[in-house]
Amino acid sequence: MSYLKARISDIRILSPSVKLFEIDLGGQPFTYLPGQWVDLKLQTGAANQNAAFSITSTPNGNNAIEIAVKRAEHLPTSLFIHDQLKVGDDVNISEAQGETVLPENVGQNQPIVFIAGGTGITPFLSMLRQIYAIDRHFHATLLYSVSSVDECLFYDELTEMKNAYEGFEFLLTTTREAAHHADFFGRINSEMLKLIGLDHKAQFYLCGPPQMVDDLAALLADLGVADSHVHYDKWW
């Protein structure tokens, strides 16, 4: 696989544990679809290591991409990115990868339900930005699970989308502490899915920790959603 040499052009704090990194591609050709991800090749100590991250930005011609990285004490690459990378540093990124993308006929009388956990929101934000740049009336629902409101990424932007687009529903659940900003408390379950209005014609996109995705896929199957309507990525 070939890699492009790029540069960190901006770093922003999204939450107590997550940073957003803007990567300037320096005018090099780079194509991707909302929902895809890239590998970063990192020199951490004596060896190169790769780490995969979903692209949060949308293809808009500005020749830069954004990724959100959660600090995880058990992952050396995560610690290196959080503690060592700074604006102006060079990084090597792969071509865009991943097949969990929006269907070509998105918007043709088929709503989408996005279910995300933690930084699993990142590919869906790219998709939502793309959807509503094309069709302000598209019907989509986002059910987002986080440990606490402080760890809800892009809360302001998602709330603005909810207020701006009548077809968009944004629902938040917190799992460790209840909050007045949240619509639910606890892990996503069948009752929550029924309350948001389970539509078996919808396409369901899942992204989050592997166990969460496995549990949700099984839950949707139990509720009668066809396997062909369920699409997902997992962290690894």
Side-chain angles (χ1 to χ4, degrees), residues 1 13 35 37 42 68-69 72 86 88 99 101-102 106-107 112-113 115 120 126 167-168 189 211 216 223 228:
M1 181 183 299
I13 295 174
W37 50 273
L42 303 167
V69 181
K86 59 186 183 298
E99 298 180 358
V101 297
L102 293 169
V106 63
I112 292 180
V113 178
I115 306 178
S126 179
F168 179 51
N189 55 40
Q211 189 61 57
L216 286 171
L223 292 171
S228 61

Side-chain angles (χ1 to χ4, degrees), residues 98-188:
E99 298 180 358
T100 306
V101 297
L102 293 169
E104 291 183 3
N105 62 346
V106 63
Q108 295 184 3
N109 300 317
Q110 195 168 46
I112 292 180
V113 178
F114 298 101
I115 306 178
T119 54
I121 187 63
T122 53
F124 298 160
L125 183 64
S126 179
M127 291 179 176
L128 286 165
R129 287 169 170 169
Q130 182 83 352
I131 286 170
Y132 288 111
I134 296 170
D135 181 358
R136 295 176 59 87
H137 303 288
F138 184 83
H139 289 283
T141 299
L142 169 64
L143 180 55
Y144 186 18
S145 175
V146 294
S147 58
S148 65
V149 169
D150 285 347
E151 291 294 346
C152 179
L153 309 182
F154 309 105
Y155 178 82
D156 290 343
E157 181 175 355
L158 292 168
T159 300
E160 288 173 6
M161 282 186 177
K162 180 178 180 178
N163 294 333
Y165 308 125
E166 62 181 27
F168 179 51
E169 187 71 19
F170 166 41
L171 298 156
L172 181 68
T173 183
T174 55
T175 59
R176 291 185 185 170
E177 56 184 56
H180 71 275
H181 288 89
D183 301 279
F184 303 108
F185 175 64
R187 298 184 184 278
I188 296 171

Side-chain angles (χ1 to χ4, degrees), residues 3-70:
Y3 285 78
L4 297 177
K5 187 174 182 179
R7 180 164 294 177
I8 303 295
S9 53
D10 191 25
I11 301 173
R12 301 195 297 277
I13 295 174
L14 295 182
S15 80
S17 67
V18 180
K19 289 183 179 180
L20 186 76
F21 294 81
E22 182 184 75
I23 302 173
D24 185 351
L25 302 169
Q28 300 171 92
F30 186 84
T31 59
Y32 66 96
L33 297 172
Q36 290 191 303
W37 50 273
V38 293
D39 266 335
L40 264 65
K41 183 183 289 185
L42 303 167
Q43 181 73 37
T44 58
N48 285 326
Q49 295 192 47
N50 287 4
F53 300 100
S54 294
I55 302 171
T56 303
S57 49
T58 52
N60 55 15
N62 71 354
N63 205 233
I65 62 170
E66 293 178 343
I67 60 171
V69 181
K70 181 180 178 66

